[in-house]
Amino acid sequence: MTPAEEFEELRPLLFSIAYRILGSVSEAEDAVQEAWLRHRSSPVRPDSPRAYLSAVVTRIAIDVLRSARVRREEYVGPWFPEPLLADPYEDPARSAELADSVSMAALLLLERLSPLERAVFVLREVFGFGFPEVAAAVGRSEAACRQLAVRARRHMDAGRPRFEADRRRREELAGRFLGAFRDGDVEALRDMLAADVRMVADGGGKGPNFLTPVVGAARVTRVLAALAGSFTALGAGLEPHRLNGQPGAIFRDRDGKVINTWTLDVADGRVQAIRTVVNPDKLGHVGPVADAWELVRTSFPTAPAPPDRPVRRGRGG
């Protein structure tokens, strides 16, 4: 097998590692491409291309994450990972774990770890690398990596998101919920919300959104009712789609351009969280992006104009 063939075979794994570390589709793709350039230019043929390339992409991702964390501290409003349409890496024996590890909720927990803790957790706990490989990838001793893994696991276990164990039930409830939203059935929407449901939007100061989370079934129901009317007025379409391994939807304008995405956390037979990404910078890989502000101005002439500059910092939820 040639180096190029080896790389292409490993590309899904490399992307999946990089995305979980970075939370960005575009940055993960760039990290994978940089790993290929280094592999191609190296005069040495590694004994284990999997271990070597995983280590290279991990180091690249750690460096990118360290600079990205500074930018995210200045981010306007809540920050979410870029929505992932499909995880290219598949392992039938670990499919449920892989899906949950790439959920918005899990990635937001990973965001709170240090770059090294995050990388160690992803390599060890998600992809099952041995500690010798993990140590080689992050440039630390095995003992140090074991300590990093313990700290990361403790933090992740303490905040681990709850999901409906039965994936079929999860998808079925999400389908009914999205159908009720499309039909404007407010009573049905309310019945499917958890009492402490949270609805949070990531607009990054570049798309119309609410800057603080909406919490509680009554408040979220009112927001959903208003949004359902707005989307009808816009002639928008709702496309159910699995995003980040969880039920979700892509909203498009009448021309098929992407307005925003939703991901739904479902547990105990209720929708526990709705996370929507409106920032156009995070939607380009989903498809051509609509001008959400223009849609608002066209349909609602009295709506406020978009802000000229960022006015507030925030974190995800």
Side-chain angles (χ1 to χ4, degrees):
M1 187 179 292
T2 67
E5 290 171 335
E6 291 172 343
F7 181 82
E8 287 304 319
E9 185 175 274
L10 290 166
R11 183 188 287 272
L13 171 64
L14 302 178
F15 173 87
S16 295
I17 290 171
Y19 177 78
R20 284 169 172 81
I21 294 174
L22 293 167
S24 166
V25 171
S26 55
E27 290 176 345
E29 289 173 342
D30 289 346
V32 172
Q33 183 61 24
E34 177 64 23
W36 161 242
L37 293 175
R38 295 186 188 184
H39 182 47
R40 186 181 63 180
S41 63
S42 174
V44 179
R45 188 82 179 267
D47 293 333
S48 171
R50 180 179 184 270
Y52 169 77
L53 285 167
S54 297
V56 171
V57 83
T58 296
R59 293 187 202 115
I60 293 169
I62 289 172
D63 289 341
V64 173
L65 180 61
R66 283 173 172 152
S67 62
R69 286 165 73 91
V70 176
R71 297 195 304 272
R72 290 172 192 176
E73 287 298 326
E74 300 299 322
Y75 196 79
V76 180
W79 179 92
F80 289 156
E82 292 180 7
L84 183 67
L85 295 178
D87 189 353
Y89 179 73
E90 297 181 358
D91 181 348
R94 299 167 60 85
S95 59
E97 298 169 63
L98 288 169
D100 288 348
S101 73
V102 82
S103 70
M104 286 277 186
L107 291 175
L108 287 170
L109 275 178
L110 282 172
E111 185 72 10
R112 300 174 187 175
L113 303 180
S114 73
L116 281 178
E117 288 172 340
R118 187 166 180 163
V120 169
F121 183 88
V122 167
L123 291 175
R124 176 64 182 171
E125 301 297 327
V126 178
F127 294 100
F129 281 78
F131 276 111
E133 295 173 303
V134 174
V138 302
R140 294 292 189 275
S141 68
E142 289 187 41
C145 287
R146 290 180 188 277
Q147 292 179 341
L148 288 166
V150 168
R151 289 203 299 269
R153 193 183 308 118
R154 185 184 301 125
H155 180 87
M156 295 296 290
D157 286 345
R160 188 173 298 280
R162 294 184 305 113
F163 297 122
E164 189 76 49
D166 187 327
R167 288 186 169 273
R168 183 187 58 78
R169 290 180 59 192
R170 193 189 308 183
E171 298 287 346
E172 189 273 334
L173 185 140
R176 288 193 289 113
F177 182 82
L178 294 171
F181 178 83
R182 184 166 41 209
D183 297 340
D185 189 339
V186 177
E187 291 297 324
L189 288 170
R190 183 185 296 113
D191 289 344
M192 286 182 273
L193 294 174
D196 58 349
V197 62
R198 293 168 59 87
M199 187 170 188
V200 191
D202 173 349
K206 299 182 179 182
N209 73 315
F210 31 92
L211 287 174
T212 56
V214 180
V215 182
R219 294 186 64 201
V220 170
T221 298
R222 288 195 293 271
V223 170
L224 290 173
L227 286 175
S230 301
F231 278 105
T232 299
L234 293 170
L238 182 161
E239 174 189 329
H241 200 294
R242 180 180 285 265
L243 297 166
N244 289 82
Q246 306 299 320
I250 301 169
F251 291 85
R252 302 181 186 273
D253 68 10
R254 56 172 51 92
D255 296 322
K257 293 182 178 180
V258 178
I259 302 172
N260 68 322
T261 63
W262 279 7
T263 54
L264 307 177
D265 288 358
V266 177
D268 303 325
R270 295 285 188 275
V271 174
Q272 306 287 332
I274 304 168
R275 296 184 178 87
T276 176
V277 175
V278 191
N279 185 344
D281 294 345
K282 296 186 175 184
L283 298 172
H285 63 286
V286 180
V289 181
D291 183 340
W293 279 115
E294 182 60 30
L295 291 173
V296 170
R297 286 194 295 269
T298 299
S299 299
F300 310 99
T302 60
D308 292 329
R309 70 185 69 175
V311 295
R312 180 181 180 277
R313 290 188 284 176
R315 301 292 292 171

